[in-house]
């Protein structure tokens, strides 16, 4: 279905070829991950499959056609059989969800009847049947990518190319997109997906083609993402000034709380004398009540919750005085370490 024969692609003005002697064959119905570091040549592969570019040497054949001999005027017809989705969705912002999906059918001259039937079907497949009239900006990123997928498959292409389709999405949303692509593949569409998502590649155990600097270094059925040990790890590190910022926040919090506490005055003497008073009322001298007396009644407990002292008045914190700019690492040329240990 997709055949690369000793494909080398050299972009003008570059020293190193983007692809060097790449050779593989994708059969109908396969799900293939293209993996490799940034710049390894994944997108170049997809561009060659879509006939956006041609190899410098070697041959690319898709759906039985040698793309080098495909006349330019026939390229749009050829592309109708290939759906594409990208990291940045590429929706038309002024068209509704349904219009975005319908648009790809209108440009290829599909009949009104077919469009009216195919668009709702595609939106239902991607789980967006209730959102046909929404504008793209009213959707989440995951929903926008679903629209893009609906647009890519509405014409029932034989091949779906996906270039980092989850690159802009959070992990949970990405899982939904991967499930959707798996479902589309299960329906018979060949899927070729370029990705950096090691976890998905490891979990799905599909065919993996790995590129390194344009060279195909692995073609493995049921493979994982591969060796990620060379990828730098993100280590927890001390954030400069974090301790000072936390301390300032805590002080300001206390200030706010104490400022909000009403001044505590001894309660007025009760009109009646038939209730216990000693534990609830401070002594005339202002001394706190003796906690060692008889168990307090409900009233007394409520009274005991009232703060018994005047609020602590803290002076306003002068940020400049604390040298916050320095402590937050915002001043020039100051190497002083301020962190949890200082
Ligand atoms: N139009 C172009 N002109 C010149 N060089 C290009 C062009 N497109 C890509 N390249 C170069 O070809 C190499 C492969 O690029 P490609 O975009 O295929 O890599 P990639 O694996 O898809 O990277 P990423 O994961 O970052 O998308 C890179 O060195 C890149 O700089």
């Amino acid at each position: 279905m997709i055949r690369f024969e000793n494909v080398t692609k050299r972009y003008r003005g570059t020293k190193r070829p983007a692809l060097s002697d790449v050779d593989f064959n994708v059969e109908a119905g396969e799900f293939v991950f293209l993996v490799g570091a940034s710049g390894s040549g994944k997108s170049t592969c997809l561009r060659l499959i879509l006939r956006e570019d041609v190899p410098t040497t070697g041959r690319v054949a898709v759906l039985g056609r040698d793309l080098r001999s495909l006349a330019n005027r026939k390229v749009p017809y050829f592309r109708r059989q290939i759906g594409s989705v990208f990291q940045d969705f590429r929706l038309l912002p002024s068209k509704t969800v349904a219009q975005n999906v319908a648009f790809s059918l209108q440009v290829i001259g599909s009949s009104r009847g077919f469009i009216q039937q195919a668009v709702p079907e595609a939106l239902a497949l991607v789980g967006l049947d209730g959102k046909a009239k929404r504008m793209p900006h009213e959707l989440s990123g995951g929903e926008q990518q679903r629209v893009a997928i609906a647009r890519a498959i509405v014409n029932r292409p034989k091949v779906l190319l996906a270039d980092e389709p989850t690159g802009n999405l959070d992990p949970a949303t990405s899982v939904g997109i991967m499930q959707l692509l798996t479902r589309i593949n299960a329906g018979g569409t060949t899927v070729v997906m370029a990705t950096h998502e090691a976890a998905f590649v490891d979990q799905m155990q599909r065919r993996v083609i790995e590129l390194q600097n344009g060279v195909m270094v692995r073609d493995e059925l049921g493979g994982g993402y591969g060796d990620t040990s060379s990828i730098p790890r993100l280590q927890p590190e001390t954030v400069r000034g974090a301790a000072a910022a936390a301390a300032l926040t805590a002080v300001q919090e206390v200030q706010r709380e104490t400022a909000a506490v009403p001044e505590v005055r001894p309660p007025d003497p009760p009109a009646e004398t038939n209730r216990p008073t000693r534990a609830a009322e401070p002594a005339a001298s202002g001394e706190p009540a003796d906690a060692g007396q008889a168990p307090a009644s409900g009233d007394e407990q409520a009274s005991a919750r009232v703060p018994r002292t005047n609020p602590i008045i803290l002076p306003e914190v002068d940020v400049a005085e604390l040298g916050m700019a320095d402590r937050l690492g915002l001043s020039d040329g100051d190497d002083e370490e301020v962190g949890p240990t200082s």
Side-chain angles (χ1 to χ4, degrees):
M1 175 150 281
I2 300 171
R3 174 104 192 97
F4 272 49
E5 283 176 14
N6 307 106
V7 170
T8 293
K9 174 64 190 174
R10 197 181 291 274
Y11 289 106
R12 193 169 299 158
T14 59
K15 284 188 190 146
R16 185 174 57 76
L19 292 177
S20 293
D21 208 20
V22 171
D23 200 282
F24 62 80
N25 190 20
V26 176
E27 302 291 349
E30 277 194 282
F31 193 122
V32 181
F33 285 117
L34 277 180
V35 304
S38 189
S40 58
K42 305 180 295 294
S43 300
T44 300
C45 278
L46 299 183
R47 276 202 295 276
L48 294 180
I49 295 170
L50 208 49
R51 188 34 166 88
E52 286 182 350
D53 220 327
V54 290
T56 309
T57 60
R59 179 172 170 266
V60 175
V62 178
L63 298 167
R65 288 168 177 273
D66 182 341
L67 298 191
R68 183 174 288 282
S69 61
L70 186 67
N72 283 342
R73 66 189 162 78
K74 290 193 175 167
V75 169
Y77 299 96
F78 159 73
R79 289 193 188 140
R80 289 178 192 181
Q81 302 167 81
I82 300 179
S84 311
V85 288
F86 306 91
Q87 179 172 347
D88 54 357
F89 319 142
R90 302 191 189 178
L91 300 179
L92 298 165
S94 58
K95 291 189 183 291
T96 65
V97 164
Q99 287 167 344
N100 262 280
V101 178
F103 186 70
S104 60
L105 293 175
Q106 286 161 345
V107 294
I108 64 172
S110 298
S111 71
R112 249 175 108 88
F114 179 73
I115 292 172
Q116 276 172 359
Q117 182 197 336
V119 171
E121 276 176 15
L123 288 176
L125 179 74
V126 302
L128 288 180
D129 21 9
K131 309 225 165 163
K133 291 186 177 156
R134 297 283 190 89
M135 301 302 287
H137 73 267
E138 296 174 322
L139 303 179
S140 69
E143 289 169 335
Q144 290 186 44
Q145 189 60 295
R146 285 173 187 272
V147 178
I149 293 172
R151 182 181 60 186
I153 56 147
V154 70
N155 194 33
R156 297 167 197 163
K158 296 194 170 68
V159 177
L160 178 62
L161 305 179
D163 198 352
E164 287 282 351
T166 58
N168 280 346
L169 304 176
D170 67 69
T173 308
S174 299
V175 169
I177 295 297
M178 291 310 299
Q179 288 168 334
L180 178 55
L181 294 179
T182 305
R183 227 170 41 238
I184 290 166
N185 173 244
T189 308
T190 306
V191 177
V192 179
M193 170 173 162
T195 187
H196 292 284
E197 299 273 11
F200 292 146
V201 179
D202 288 342
Q203 283 164 27
M204 286 178 62
Q205 292 290 301
R206 300 302 184 101
R207 181 175 172 191
V208 177
I209 292 177
E210 181 177 351
L211 297 166
Q212 261 176 30
N213 296 324
V215 176
M216 196 174 91
V217 293
R218 183 161 61 114
D219 183 357
E220 186 181 9
L221 283 175
Y225 188 83
D227 184 9
T228 54
S229 60
S230 63
I231 301 173
R233 303 277 157 194
L234 193 58
Q235 300 289 347
E237 60 182 39
T238 303
V239 177
R240 206 168 135 75
L248 175 64
T249 306
V251 168
Q252 288 173 331
E253 190 67 23
V254 171
Q255 277 183 339
R256 266 197 300 278
E257 279 175 11
T258 52
V261 171
E263 192 182 344
V264 179
R265 284 182 296 154
D268 294 335
E272 295 178 5
T273 56
N274 65 346
R275 70 181 185 88
T277 56
R278 182 154 167 69
E281 292 176 7
S285 65
E287 287 294 316
D290 185 352
Q293 297 297 309
S297 69
D299 278 356
E300 288 168 312
Q301 285 171 351
S303 167
R305 283 197 292 273
V306 176
R308 289 159 195 268
T309 56
N310 286 327
I312 307 160
I313 304 300
L314 292 173
E316 276 293 317
V317 174
D318 184 334
V319 172
E321 212 171 78
L322 280 176
M324 280 307 293
D326 281 349
R327 295 197 168 115
L328 293 171
L330 302 175
S331 64
D332 295 331
D334 180 1
D335 293 329
E336 191 191 355
E337 273 293 318
V338 178
T341 55
S342 64

